[in-house]
Amino acid sequence: MGDTGAPAVIPVFIDRAAPAENEVSAVIPVFNDRTALETAMPASLSALERITPDFELIIAEDGSTDGTADLVREKAAADPRIRLLHSDERLGRGKALTRAFTEAKGGIVCYYDVDLATDLAYLGELIGAIRGGSDIATGSRLLPSSTVTRTGEREVASRVYNALVRGILGSRVHDHQCGFKAFNRGRILSLLPSVRATHWFWDTEVLVRGQRAGLRVTEFPVVWRTGRTTTVRLNDVFAMGGAILSLWWQLHGPQG
């Protein structure tokens, strides 16, 4: 999937990023995920090493109480490519990602879920899309070539939610919530001040606002399996619908 729509007005982008010290900053947002990180950190380092020698792995730790921060500090002491961003209080997933992207040292920033629900074999394609000129790249569970393993209830909930986003907010992306995305850091930092969501809706709002701002979005199919952090169910669609309508009002209301 290439460019996902032209905006009414093309804004002037201000690159808010400091000069990149690394090519890639990979971010894993975590909350009480010590056990999952035992697998995710070495798997991430191995995958990133195959893509570029110039990277950092940021663990955006969001108020955990299970010793997650201590584990990351231990690993970071042994491997300087690992960085811990710790918060004493819960920020919310979206706010934690915003903080991580702001403090990242890479010209390309990406994130994925700690349960590695999306196969890291696709990390090269994700980063390659930004190298190739896209501003945003996202894996998709809802393209014809995608391979997905999850319950029927979650499949229905996902399809209903994404249909609402496409129909109400005019997005051309098929899957807004796949936790496997990459960005041109300068472009995303210019967009983030307008993003209000602090938790699960952050992904959707970034994609919708990015398309409206004229950013080039690439969506590609991935192999995905239900992980421990996957929580969306059919009865969550009502709350999701409220978030969608709230964003529509932000974009189209008197102050939009």
Side-chain angles (χ1 to χ4, degrees):
M1 179 178 180
D3 195 329
T4 57
V9 177
I10 303 293
V12 176
F13 285 101
I14 301 173
D15 191 338
R16 301 174 185 270
E21 298 179 30
N22 299 108
E23 183 187 14
V24 175
S25 294
V27 180
I28 305 178
V30 296
F31 172 67
N32 287 342
D33 287 308
R34 181 183 176 108
T35 299
L37 272 176
E38 294 275 14
T39 297
M41 282 193 289
S44 296
L45 294 173
S46 179
L48 288 162
E49 286 169 351
R50 293 193 292 270
I51 297 166
T52 177
D54 189 16
F55 70 87
E56 62 175 348
L57 176 63
I58 298 174
I59 310 301
E61 186 273 308
D62 189 15
S64 298
T65 58
D66 67 342
T68 293
D70 292 335
L71 171 66
V72 179
R73 288 189 186 98
E74 176 186 331
K75 299 298 183 182
D79 191 332
R81 298 173 299 179
I82 299 173
R83 288 177 61 195
L84 170 67
L85 287 184
H86 168 71
S87 175
D88 288 329
E89 299 181 356
R90 191 83 196 271
L91 300 174
R93 179 172 170 277
K95 196 170 182 179
L97 285 170
T98 294
R99 177 194 178 197
F101 290 171
T102 301
E103 298 192 27
K105 299 176 182 178
I108 297 171
V109 292
C110 67
Y111 74 92
Y112 46 87
D113 294 331
V114 68
D115 58 14
L116 306 183
T118 303
D119 194 322
L120 285 182
Y122 292 92
L123 191 58
E125 184 172 357
L126 186 74
I127 292 169
I130 307 301
R131 283 173 170 168
S134 293
D135 300 306
I136 301 174
T138 181
S140 177
R141 300 162 296 182
L142 297 178
L143 292 174
S145 300
S146 303
T147 301
V148 176
T149 303
R150 61 178 164 188
T151 65
E153 182 183 17
R154 289 178 175 175
E155 179 72 11
V156 171
S158 178
R159 290 188 179 277
V160 170
Y161 172 79
N162 284 287
L164 289 173
V165 175
R166 288 168 61 85
I168 295 173
L169 298 177
S171 175
R172 293 179 60 193
V173 173
H174 292 81
D175 184 1
H176 299 81
Q177 289 188 299
C178 183
F180 196 72
K181 293 179 171 61
F183 307 88
N184 175 304
R185 181 169 173 264
R187 289 299 181 97
I188 194 63
L189 290 187
S190 294
L191 183 71
L192 287 178
S194 67
V195 176
R196 301 184 189 180
T198 61
H199 196 40
W200 63 265
F201 193 66
W202 184 93
D203 310 69
T204 298
E205 186 172 352
V206 164
L207 286 173
V208 170
R209 289 190 182 275
Q211 289 173 83
R212 287 176 60 84
L215 298 187
R216 181 183 175 190
V217 181
T218 296
E219 183 178 21
F220 61 93
V222 296
V223 172
W224 186 93
R225 56 172 178 76
T226 298
R228 188 182 65 80
T229 61
T230 305
T231 58
V232 177
R233 294 177 174 85
L234 189 55
N235 58 7
D236 296 324
V237 171
F238 295 104
M240 294 172 174
I244 292 168
L245 292 174
S246 177
L247 180 55
W248 183 93
W249 182 251
Q250 292 172 36
L251 298 174
H252 300 286
Q255 305 302 317

